[in-house]
Amino acid sequence: MEHYVIKGGNALSGEVEIAGAKNAALAILAASIMTNETVTVENVPDVSDIRAILKVIATIGAHVEQIDRHTFRINGSAIKKGEPVDNELVREIRGSYYLIGSLLGKYGKAAVALPGGCNIGLRPIDQHIKGFRALGADVRLVSPGMVVAEAEELTAAHIYMDVVSVGATINVMMAAVKAHGYTIIENAAREPHVVDLANFLNSMGAKIKGAGTDVIRIRGVEYLHGTNYSIIPDQIEAGTFMFAAAATKGDITIKNVIPKHLESISAKLTEVGCQIRESGDAVRVVANRRLLHTNVKTLPYPGFPTDMQPQITVLLGLCKGISIVTESIFENRFKYVDELTKMGASITVEGNTAIIDGVEKYTGANMDSPDLRAGAALVIAALAAEGDSEIYKIHYIERGYEDFPEKLRHLGAEIRKVDDENQRRRFQYRIS
Ligand code: EPZ
């Protein structure tokens, strides 16, 4: 079974280049088929969730041409109205549900299998459905696990989201772009990828204002045209490397980032004692001593991201004093703590709160990734630990991190992806 073998203890140093944002790319690629003209999307990250969404849109009839590793030309003109979107891949990834909004907007009908994604909580889609219904769509769940949404004509509405949801904001925004009239989405999510999708749709002729605030206003248009668009850098990949620098007492410059998107992450790292220097599109993180405890609560953007919660917990597990981490977005996002305990961490989870008594060091262990971000966090723990670790179920990590072991090796980490016992022995021989 493929897994990572890691020899911990090296302080990471050097420069790392961040890929395009996975969660922006999922939405933008789903939206790219809303026009019958050709769309070129650049800075697409080469990760398994993105390869999956590209396959899904190709399966339903889109022409998908890869220009280079990170650039795709897409034409959705051959997709048929009402074509069911259902295969294994659709059910594996979360982003496939964006095809409900994009196909409903484009054709007035979408039939899409219920999405999968990381198992971090219940993840209902009631707000998506509420938004589609407000736009005049009839939405029903039909077996086996399909959402069917259809409308004679989509009409604008004033929609108040009961919870701040990235997915519902994105999905409803896509459908509303083609609805007649002026839609207002209140209590909208403000994440950078919501803004990136709005910018992408506007570059196709949509009229969206206010993305990035909690009120998004959309004037429906009849027609969307082709475009050339480059996806923003991945805020969470960047944050993950920032925490890897801090946990290994390293010095890393993270390039191709938008420092504004990293503010909550930089603020927490400064609080625990790291030095953060921003310059243009780069952020440098220096940690040259034992760091101090702090408290953190995950919140929708611009609050501290839930997708960085496992990474900060791993760091706080090594910081002096008692820290408290409160998860307020998902109800099942501390599953990785049992794995961290194997490394010597002292963490108690009570409901949605982790109480962390910082230890001096972790020691290597064999662990399973429970999901994408927790998997990345366990890699950070293993890099900071004394001794060797093995991390299994790395397909979760590969959903969202491009060339993760290669980038870490470039920063001085000893990490290899291996898939059999001989390879593992060879690697251990080399690093011992
Ligand atoms: C997106 O998930 C991201 N996924 C997640 O990233 C991220 O953790 C999450 O937003 C929060 O930032 C993608 O972009 C593909 P939500 P999403 O709708 O859209 C509740 C990663 O690691 N809710 O903002 O599914 C929900 O239960 C992944 O890259 C409803 O109650 O998240 C949660 O408590 C994991 N009803 C909260 O809202 C709804 O209809 C926020 O969820 C929708 C959501």
Side-chain angles (χ1 to χ4, degrees), residues 187-249:
N187 201 23
R190 291 179 279 171
E191 267 66 5
H193 34 295
V194 173
V195 180
D196 209 31
L197 173 70
N199 289 340
F200 171 73
L201 287 166
N202 283 343
S203 78
M204 293 166 82
K207 292 193 170 144
I208 305 171
K209 286 191 175 152
T213 75
D214 59 359
V215 184
I216 300 180
R217 297 182 160 83
I218 304 160
R219 166 86 54 204
V221 295
E222 284 286 324
Y223 172 77
L224 293 173
H225 53 73
T227 187
N228 246 315
Y229 193 82
S230 181
I231 290 173
I232 52 164
D234 198 301
Q235 166 208 16
I236 304 301
E237 187 197 7
T240 301
F241 280 102
M242 291 169 80
F243 277 93
T248 62
K249 298 200 182 70

Side-chain angles (χ1 to χ4, degrees), residues 22-24 26-27 49 93-98 117-118 120-129 161 163-170 189 191 193 236 299-301 305-307 328-331 333 371-373 400:
K22 175 202 66 136
N23 288 343
L26 285 167
D49 269 16
I93 59 167
R94 192 88 199 142
S96 54
Y97 67 2
Y98 293 143
C118 282
I120 50 182
L122 283 175
R123 310 189 79 177
I125 59 164
D126 56 300
Q127 298 304 305
H128 305 235
I129 294 175
M161 295 286 177
V163 292
V164 180
S165 160
V166 172
T169 303
I170 285 178
E191 267 66 5
H193 34 295
I236 304 301
L299 288 169
Y301 189 84
T306 174
D307 290 349
S328 80
I329 310 290
F330 292 110
E331 58 286 325
R333 218 168 184 181
D371 61 65
L372 163 59
R373 305 302 171 188

Side-chain angles (χ1 to χ4, degrees), residues 410-428:
H410 182 72
L411 295 167
E414 294 189 64
I415 171 170
R416 283 272 184 287
K417 177 172 157 179
V418 297
D419 58 8
D420 67 28
E421 188 57 17
N422 284 343
Q423 246 187 311
R424 188 178 73 86
R425 286 225 183 88
R426 271 206 304 277
F427 175 61
Q428 285 198 323

Side-chain angles (χ1 to χ4, degrees), residues 229-291:
Y229 193 82
S230 181
I231 290 173
I232 52 164
D234 198 301
Q235 166 208 16
I236 304 301
E237 187 197 7
T240 301
F241 280 102
M242 291 169 80
F243 277 93
T248 62
K249 298 200 182 70
D251 177 351
I252 304 184
T253 299
I254 296 133
K255 297 173 80 176
N256 184 34
V257 298
I258 300 175
K260 174 89 189 143
H261 294 168
L262 301 170
E263 268 175 0
S264 62
I265 296 165
S266 299
K268 280 295 154 193
L269 285 171
T270 306
E271 242 172 75
V272 298
C274 294
Q275 293 159 41
I276 308 287
R277 288 182 211 136
E278 290 176 6
S279 53
D281 68 348
V283 172
R284 182 172 169 199
V285 179
V286 184
N288 43 21
R289 59 193 164 93
R290 183 148 188 231
L291 301 170

